[in-house]
Amino acid sequence: KAGVTQTPRYLIKTRGQQVTLSCSPISGHRSVSWYQQTPGQGLQFLFEYFSETQRNKGNFPGRFSGRQFSNSRSEMNVSTLELGDSALYLCASSLDGQGGTEAFFGQGTRLTVV
Amino acid sequence: GEDVEQSLFLSVREGDSSVINCTYTDSSSTYLYWYKQEPGAGLQLLTYIFSNMDMKQDQRLTVLLNKKDKHLSLRIADTQTGDSAIYFCAERAERDDKIIFGKGTRLHILP
């Protein structure tokens, strides 16, 4: 069974650009969550999608957005990139996103904004 | 608000037990988790405990929950070099289902 796949693994962008990251969950999983990991702030929740609908949202500005497709694959988009957006972006998939259900993480996309 | 605190570093001799501590603030937490992150990798769920449990044991791992003090700990028995990683404590709040992570404890194994 394939794990959670995030593409690309590494990305370098310049300030002001926009970026799209992709996450393919484990087959059969319908919940996809996105997290931003930085040394200073740790892991912070961005949003969660379930059955193509955003079910939960963290405290990030509107420049951060996402969507989920009918096959459960999810993308997140960051517009007007800032230096502080440099981080490891992790995606987690789970069957239904409920409490006791295990969430499986991808290896992440490391975004560097210069 | 929601907050999860854990110490940033822990050094333990190989073969000893490691105890990683965590405190959280949200009394409505339903599930509490321990994740492990090795260099260059994503997060791996080690174990979780439901909020109405006091203890959970899984092979070398023991999780203790003191709900009154909002304190969670992870004990790793017979610590091995392969246990060297960052360990994240996390809670899931009942009201909004979001998972809130601590900043992680880096476990360093001494020979």
Side-chain angles (χ1 to χ4, degrees):
Chain A
K1 195 174 186 181
V4 180
T5 304
Q6 290 189 245
T7 57
R9 288 291 311 278
Y10 303 92
L11 207 47
I12 299 176
K13 290 283 189 179
T14 56
R15 272 183 302 175
Q17 285 188 310
Q18 67 94 26
V19 68
T20 299
L21 313 182
S22 177
C23 172
S24 293
I26 291 171
S27 177
H29 284 193
R30 295 166 65 193
S31 167
V32 174
S33 297
W34 288 90
Y35 294 84
Q36 181 196 64
Q37 186 178 24
T38 58
Q41 299 298 316
L43 269 159
Q44 293 192 290
F45 173 78
L46 279 154
F47 26 65
E48 183 213 358
Y49 286 87
F50 180 80
S51 293
E52 301 178 68
T53 301
Q54 188 181 85
R55 189 162 68 172
N56 256 315
K57 188 176 185 307
N59 299 321
F60 277 80
R63 299 186 296 109
F64 291 80
S65 63
R67 59 178 174 166
Q68 186 179 33
F69 302 94
S70 58
N71 63 358
S72 293
R73 189 178 72 85
S74 177
E75 289 181 346
M76 68 162 277
N77 185 279
V78 188
S79 62
T80 321
L81 283 164
E82 300 176 0
L83 295 179
D85 297 332
S86 294
L88 180 67
Y89 289 88
L90 290 165
C91 146
S93 92
S94 67
L95 270 173
D96 56 13
Q98 296 305 306
T101 309
E102 182 170 357
F104 294 85
F105 281 79
Q107 288 192 294
T109 295
R110 185 163 295 280
L111 172 66
T112 302
V113 182
V114 297
Chain B
E2 306 148 338
D3 200 13
V4 178
E5 300 276 344
Q6 49 184 131
S7 54
L8 295 181
F9 299 100
L10 178 65
S11 289
V12 173
R13 292 209 176 276
E14 191 176 357
D16 287 352
S17 291
S18 305
V19 180
I20 304 171
N21 294 301
C22 167
T23 57
Y24 60 97
T25 56
D26 192 340
S27 57
S28 74
S29 294
T30 52
Y31 288 88
L32 295 128
Y33 308 88
W34 284 104
Y35 283 86
K36 177 183 181 182
Q37 186 178 34
E38 294 179 276
L43 272 69
Q44 174 198 355
L45 179 65
L46 283 177
T47 186
Y48 68 89
I49 189 167
F50 189 51
S51 59
N52 68 355
M53 296 167 65
D54 297 327
M55 186 190 88
K56 182 177 180 182
Q57 186 152 5
D58 183 3
Q59 298 180 359
R60 291 191 298 123
L61 304 178
T62 303
V63 179
L64 294 177
L65 173 61
N66 181 328
K67 198 173 179 184
K68 175 175 164 289
D69 294 339
K70 300 192 189 70
H71 181 268
L72 183 74
S73 68
L74 172 69
R75 179 176 178 270
I76 305 172
D78 188 24
T79 308
Q80 303 297 308
T81 53
D83 295 326
S84 183
I86 301 175
Y87 291 82
F88 292 90
C89 168
E91 62 165 351
R92 180 190 286 265
E94 183 176 23
R95 62 172 172 279
D96 59 12
D97 252 0
K98 283 192 293 190
I99 298 180
I100 307 298
F101 285 83
K103 292 194 177 176
T105 299
R106 185 179 293 278
L107 178 61
H108 177 62
I109 314 302
L110 301 166

